[in-house]
Structures are given as C-alpha cells and as structure tokens.
Amino acid sequence: MEIQFSDYAFKIKAEDGKQVIFDHLRKKWLVLTPEEWVRQHILHYLTDDHGFPASLISIEKKLRVFGLSRRTDVVLYNRTMQPVLIVECKAGEVRIDEKFLSRSPGIILH
C-alpha cells in the first residue's frame, strides 16, 4: 500500500554511497531508510500541516507505557508534557494487521 503525504521540501543528498535526509527537528542528517522516509513525513505533517511546536515532539526516545519501558518513533505531547499521540513508523510495504500487532509488546488492541 502506498502511503499518501503532502509534498514537503526535504533536503536529501548522497553521503558515503547512501542517501541521507536532513531531520529539521533534530538538525542532523540521517540515512534515508524506508522507515525514516515515513518518520520525516510524519514530522513535517505534524509541524508544517498542523502547526505543532517542535518542543512538544520527541523522536526515538524511551517512554514508559503501562509500567513498561518502550522506544518510540514519535511522541506528541500536550502543553503539560503528557503524551497524547504515539506514532510507530514502519516502511510502506510493512503490513500492519492483527498478527503484526499481537507480536508487538505494549500494543493494546481495542
């Protein structure tokens, strides 16, 4: 399934034989993997399209969820620094279904 995002003005270049993309929030170049492509689109979607401040977004950090420590791809916080949105980024070709979710510790199915 193709993921549909707006067109954003990414900075992409070749470095050591690999494509890298500039992360506008962390201010650094990252290897452009399929998962990173999704993460960068999500970050631009939150900041550019919806105006969420970068100060309320964490990227690839640990978060305690129901007493368990988990690494998160993206977390959006409210102004009292309570997490309100947790984003797990996967490459576009990864099928997200109940079988996938049942293997993911800390995922709650409703």
Side-chain angles (χ1 to χ4, degrees):
M1 177 173 75
E2 181 70 22
I3 300 171
Q4 300 296 314
F5 287 110
S6 298
D7 289 328
Y8 301 110
F10 293 115
K11 294 179 185 174
I12 298 174
K13 66 180 182 177
E15 188 174 280
D16 297 327
K18 297 181 181 180
Q19 279 195 311
V20 292
I21 188 168
F22 188 73
D23 183 316
H24 72 293
L25 298 183
R26 292 182 278 182
K27 307 287 189 234
K28 66 181 184 177
W29 292 93
L30 303 164
V31 174
L32 184 54
T33 63
E35 182 177 308
E36 193 60 45
W37 182 90
V38 172
R39 183 176 8 261
Q40 292 305 313
H41 277 79
I42 291 293
L43 295 174
H44 278 273
Y45 175 78
L46 292 171
T47 57
D48 298 357
D49 294 351
H50 293 282
F52 289 106
S55 62
L56 298 180
I57 299 172
S58 74
I59 306 162
E60 294 187 313
K61 301 284 185 189
K62 287 188 179 180
L63 178 71
R64 294 201 58 81
V65 179
F66 301 112
L68 302 172
S69 181
R70 297 286 180 236
R71 188 201 61 84
T72 61
D73 285 322
V74 178
V75 179
L76 179 64
Y77 294 91
N78 64 18
R79 297 213 182 272
T80 61
M81 296 310 290
Q82 298 300 309
V84 295
L85 177 70
I86 300 172
V87 179
E88 176 67 22
C89 299
K90 296 292 179 201
E93 65 272 5
V94 175
R95 184 176 171 91
I96 307 295
D97 56 17
E98 288 216 21
K99 183 177 178 181
F100 172 85
L101 293 174
S102 69
R103 295 188 318 254
S104 301
I107 301 289
I108 300 171
L109 298 176
H110 289 283

